[in-house]
């Protein structure tokens, strides 16, 4: 964790600031604060100057912060803003970088009032989130554990029948299975979207009953030690129709082509283009309505963005999803999503479920 803190000492000049400030609160947690310090508490602030590293928190987190945030000078205080402002002044900071996407207007206003001679500078989200884009071996191991747990849970779920069950009940069973295989819980609201509801890419499980002959999109992931997993399978209840097969085949081919093409150094938008062209060639181009994939780590959606507008290259150590889909209003949807770790030599699949059209009862 200290590794990124050290990177930050060296980045201050390039960012045009004398110090960097991170703040985490219950309503606005900063995963970057956690990443830089290792501290997992919900309330804290971090100040990084050219030479110093400070962590401010309150009495609830004193012991935890001392154990987790090695290499930081710990301040256990009642009035965080006052202590923070005193330290900023003592360090002679005149330009203070703040994580603008993670602090409230109220926080910034209160801080500015205490530091009238200090200029607050917004540090680009892309810079700070970029510190997390290449995973360490420890981070990869956690994501892999989460991915394996979720795949195992989904495998167990699909041994039972889906027809006649309510989507929410199926989602709840899957989430119970996550905990049974060692997860801390679901990483996001589980999607179970059957029949026509499958046309909603983010169709969270509803009160709808799953009927025979329907496509069912199940998109799920769990979280272990703060790290997420993300995977989607598509099932069909009973024998598939030729249209259902055709849709699945189009998504399956796009998913496989994208994974086979993955190489370190290619542009992220080119990965998207390969899958998008494949779906268009099958005649479903206008029904693929979102980007191909996203990074996964401390957040369920983080850089890189594998989309037509995505910037940058595929790098060694990245973890991201490949998730093409087809969504037809009034008919249903198919999405297949795999979680991939980018090794120097090529992609490594972290999620384990089959991406075939899974026939269930
Ligand atoms: Zn997903
Ligand atoms: Zn996803």
């Amino acid at each position: 964790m200290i590794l990124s803190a050290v990177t930050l000492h060296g980045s201050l000049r390039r960012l045009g600031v004398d110090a960097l400030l991170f703040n985490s609160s219950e309503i606005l947690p900063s995963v970057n604060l956690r990443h830089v310090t290792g501290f997992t508490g919900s309330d804290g602030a971090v100040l990084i100057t050219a030479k110093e590293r400070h962590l401010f928190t309150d009495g609830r987190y004193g012991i935890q912060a001392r154990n987790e945030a090695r290499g930081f000078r710990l301040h256990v205080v009642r009035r965080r803003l006052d202590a923070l402002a005193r330290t900023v002044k003592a360090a002679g900071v005149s330009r203070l970088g703040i994580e603008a996407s993670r602090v409230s207007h109220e926080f910034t206003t209160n801080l500015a009032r205490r530091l009238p001679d200090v200029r607050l500078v917004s540090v680009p989200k892309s810079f700070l989130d970029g510190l997390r884009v290449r995973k360490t071996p420890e981070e990869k191991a956690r994501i892999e554990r989460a991915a394996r747990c979720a795949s195992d849970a989904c495998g167990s779920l699909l041994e039972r029948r889906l027809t006649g069950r309510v989507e929410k009940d199926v989602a709840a069973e899957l989430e119970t299975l996550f905990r049974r295989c060692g997860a801390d819980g679901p990483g996001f609201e589980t999607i179970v979207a059957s029949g026509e509801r499958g046309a909603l890419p983010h169709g969270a499980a509803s009160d709808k009953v799953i009927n025979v002959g329907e496509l069912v999109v199940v998109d799920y992931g769990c979280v272990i030690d703060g790290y997420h997993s993300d995977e989607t399978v598509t099932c069909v209840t009973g024998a598939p129709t030729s249209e259902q097969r055709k849709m699945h085949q189009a998504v399956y081919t796009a998913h496989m082509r994208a994974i086979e093409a993955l190489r370190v150094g290619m542009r992220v938008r080119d990965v998207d283009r390969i899958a998008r062209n494949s779906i268009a060639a099958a005649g479903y181009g206008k029904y693929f309505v979102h980007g191909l994939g996203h990074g996964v780590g401390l957040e369920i959606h983080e850089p890189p963005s594998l989309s037509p507008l995505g910037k940058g290259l595929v790098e060694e150590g990245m973890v991201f999803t490949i998730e093409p889909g087809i969504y037809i209003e009034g008919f249903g949807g198919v999405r297949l999503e795999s979680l991939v770790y980018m090794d120097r030599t090529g992609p490594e699949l972290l999620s384990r479920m089959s991406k075939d059209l899974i026939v269930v009862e």
Side-chain angles (χ1 to χ4, degrees):
M1 299 298 174
I2 292 299
L3 199 65
S4 24
V6 171
T7 312
L8 288 177
H9 289 304
S11 303
L12 296 178
R13 187 181 297 230
R14 185 153 53 90
L15 292 168
V17 297
D18 306 310
L20 260 178
L21 166 66
F22 297 87
N23 188 70
S24 245
S25 64
E26 249 151 57
I27 50 163
L28 216 48
S30 164
V31 288
N32 290 322
L33 183 149
R34 177 190 167 142
H35 187 253
V36 165
T37 60
F39 173 57
T40 60
S42 61
D43 267 290
V46 161
L47 181 73
I48 294 181
T49 69
K51 292 202 175 109
E52 300 164 18
R53 291 190 282 268
H54 300 269
L55 171 62
F56 304 82
T57 189
D58 59 67
R60 294 171 298 164
Y61 292 118
I63 298 169
Q64 185 180 334
R66 193 168 354 101
N67 291 331
E68 292 178 337
R70 304 287 166 134
F72 281 77
R73 175 148 175 234
L74 182 60
H75 306 252
V76 179
V77 290
R78 281 224 180 90
R79 298 173 184 274
R80 188 155 90 213
L81 269 180
D82 291 338
L84 187 58
R86 272 197 305 276
T87 312
V88 168
K89 281 182 198 158
V93 171
S94 62
R95 291 173 65 88
L96 177 60
I98 53 167
E99 192 183 12
S101 60
R102 300 283 180 179
V103 289
S104 65
H105 182 63
E106 183 186 30
F107 177 89
T108 323
T109 309
N110 287 336
L111 185 66
R113 197 177 303 138
R114 287 168 173 80
L115 296 169
D117 301 326
V118 175
R119 171 106 181 264
L120 301 183
V121 180
S122 295
V123 175
K125 188 175 185 319
S126 56
F127 169 79
L128 294 170
D129 289 352
L131 297 172
R132 295 186 281 123
V133 84
R134 295 172 73 149
K135 271 58 184 178
T136 63
E138 295 75 27
E139 291 182 294
K140 181 203 168 191
R142 286 173 179 170
I143 299 169
E144 190 166 17
R145 267 175 62 209
R148 199 165 293 183
C149 164
S151 296
D152 288 350
C154 184
S156 304
L157 176 85
L158 296 182
E159 285 169 9
R160 308 255 308 270
R161 72 186 278 125
L162 294 187
T163 309
R165 294 178 66 187
V166 171
E167 289 175 353
K168 273 183 186 167
D169 166 52
V170 173
E173 185 186 350
L174 185 56
E175 292 173 6
T176 303
L177 288 164
F178 290 162
R179 290 202 174 80
R180 213 168 279 162
C181 65
D184 301 328
F188 55 90
E189 194 170 17
T190 302
I191 291 173
V192 178
S194 60
E196 289 186 18
R197 293 195 72 253
L200 307 168
H202 275 190
S206 75
D207 291 321
K208 181 187 170 299
V209 173
I210 300 172
N211 296 308
V212 71
E214 289 182 334
L215 290 167
V216 187
V217 177
V218 187
D219 186 345
Y220 55 92
C222 60
V223 63
I224 294 183
D225 292 340
Y227 285 81
H228 294 77
S229 73
D230 194 6
E231 183 172 31
T232 306
V233 296
T234 298
C235 314
V236 60
T237 45
T241 65
S242 60
E243 184 58 24
Q244 288 170 336
R245 264 188 208 290
K246 203 176 143 217
M247 274 171 78
H248 170 268
Q249 189 57 45
V251 178
Y252 183 87
T253 305
H255 172 269
M256 289 306 173
R257 281 190 182 152
I259 290 177
E260 279 161 20
L262 274 173
R263 294 288 177 275
V264 166
M266 74 189 290
R267 296 194 306 179
V268 291
R269 67 171 61 165
D270 288 342
V271 191
D272 177 280
R273 191 172 46 78
I274 288 162
R276 206 163 291 282
N277 288 349
S278 176
I279 286 183
Y284 292 103
K286 68 172 176 175
Y287 301 111
F288 179 20
V289 295
H290 53 71
L292 178 65
H294 55 87
V296 174
L298 282 170
E299 291 180 293
I300 182 62
H301 292 124
E302 59 179 47
S305 165
L306 284 73
S307 76
L309 302 174
K311 291 196 175 79
L313 306 178
V314 172
E315 294 175 41
E316 184 183 352
M318 283 180 165
V319 172
F320 52 78
T321 66
I322 296 290
E323 51 178 308
I326 296 175
Y327 310 91
I328 303 179
E329 195 176 353
F331 184 79
V334 172
R335 178 165 65 257
L336 300 172
E337 176 178 30
S338 293
L339 190 61
V340 163
Y341 171 78
M342 211 49 220
D343 202 0
R344 190 169 42 82
T345 52
E348 182 187 326
L349 282 178
L350 302 182
S351 52
R352 298 294 173 93
M353 276 297 290
S354 162
K355 298 296 136 65
D356 292 337
L357 183 56
I358 303 170
V359 180
V360 295
E361 277 184 42

